[in-house]
Amino acid sequence: WMIAAQENIDTALEFTPANAVGSGGTYNTPALTLYANRNATFAGTVDAQGFRTTSGSTDYSLLSRNSANTAVYIQQAGTGNIVDFRYGSQAAGQGTSAMIIKDTGEVAIGANFTGYDGQILAVNSGTADTVLYGQSSDANCFASFRDNSSTANIEYGAIGNAHVFRKDTTESMRIDSSGRLSLGPDAQDI
C-alpha cells in the first residue's frame, strides 16, 4: 500500500494498493481518497453496519447512479418493514411515519396509519378530504380495476367535467357536469 498526501489530487490523502501501480511506479488508482473538505471517495464497495449523518447536519444524502441498471436496492431479509419514511425527528424509529413499505409489499401512505394489513395500497389523508388525486396531461384520466376472473378492464375516470364508467375503452355510463345520466356506448340520456 502507498499512503500519500497530494500524490494525484491536490489537498487529498490517498490510500492506494500496490497492485494499482501505474507505469513509472505511480500509484494512480487510489482505493480511498480523503479530501481536505472532509469528503471521501471509495473506489470499490463499502460494507458497513449502518449509515448515519450527524444530528446537526443540514446537508442532504444522495444515492446516485448513471446507468441503465437499478440505482438502489433496499432489501429486508427478515420480517420487519422494508422502508419507513419518517419526518419530525433525526433519531431512528422516531417522528411521524409518512410512508411504510412492509415486507409483504403492502404500502401505507399517511401519518399514524393503522388497519391496513392485507391491503396492497392504503392511504390515510388525515383531516384532508381528498385522499387520492390523479391528473392526466391529455383529455382523459382513468383508474382501471380487474380481478383474477376479469376479461376486461373496468375503469372509472373523467373526460372533461364528466364522470365516466367504461369497460376497457367502451363507455358504459356517464354523469355529465350538469348531473345528467347517460347509459350505454351510444350515451342515451335517462
Side-chain angles (χ1 to χ4, degrees):
W1 283 83
M2 177 182 170
I3 301 173
Q6 303 178 10
E7 173 70 16
N8 295 308
I9 301 171
D10 200 23
T11 67
L13 178 62
E14 299 172 335
F15 296 81
T16 308
N19 62 357
V21 175
S23 61
T26 304
Y27 289 76
N28 57 6
T29 311
L32 168 63
T33 305
L34 302 174
Y35 300 93
N37 65 2
R38 298 184 178 154
N39 291 332
T41 300
F42 295 88
T45 301
V46 177
D47 294 321
Q49 295 297 315
F51 174 77
R52 183 182 316 187
T53 58
T54 60
S55 61
S57 175
T58 57
D59 205 352
Y60 59 89
S61 299
L62 172 67
L63 298 174
S64 177
R65 180 175 181 171
N66 184 3
S67 171
N69 297 317
T70 302
V72 176
Y73 290 97
I74 299 175
Q75 295 180 217
Q76 165 62 289
T79 58
N81 294 332
I82 297 171
V83 178
D84 187 348
F85 296 94
R86 292 177 171 259
Y87 63 92
S89 175
Q90 292 180 324
Q94 301 299 309
T96 303
S97 184
M99 183 170 88
I100 295 173
I101 303 174
K102 294 179 69 174
D103 66 317
T104 57
E106 298 167 6
V107 177
I109 301 171
N112 302 318
F113 202 92
T114 58
Y116 70 94
D117 286 343
Q119 309 302 315
I120 198 68
L121 175 63
V123 181
N124 179 352
S125 68
T127 58
D129 292 337
T130 302
V131 175
L132 183 62
Y133 178 82
Q135 182 174 344
S136 172
S137 61
D138 67 3
N140 303 327
C141 184
F142 282 89
S144 183
F145 304 92
R146 70 187 297 154
D147 67 13
N148 66 348
S149 64
S150 297
T151 58
N153 294 310
I154 306 304
E155 300 172 333
Y156 168 72
I159 298 176
N161 291 324
H163 298 266
V164 178
F165 295 85
R166 62 188 196 183
K167 184 173 124 181
D168 283 332
T169 57
T170 303
E171 190 171 313
S172 302
M173 183 174 79
R174 174 185 293 239
I175 304 171
D176 69 16
S177 59
S178 42
R180 289 185 309 224
L181 174 66
S182 302
L183 292 178
D186 299 326
Q188 298 177 7
D189 289 348
I190 294 181

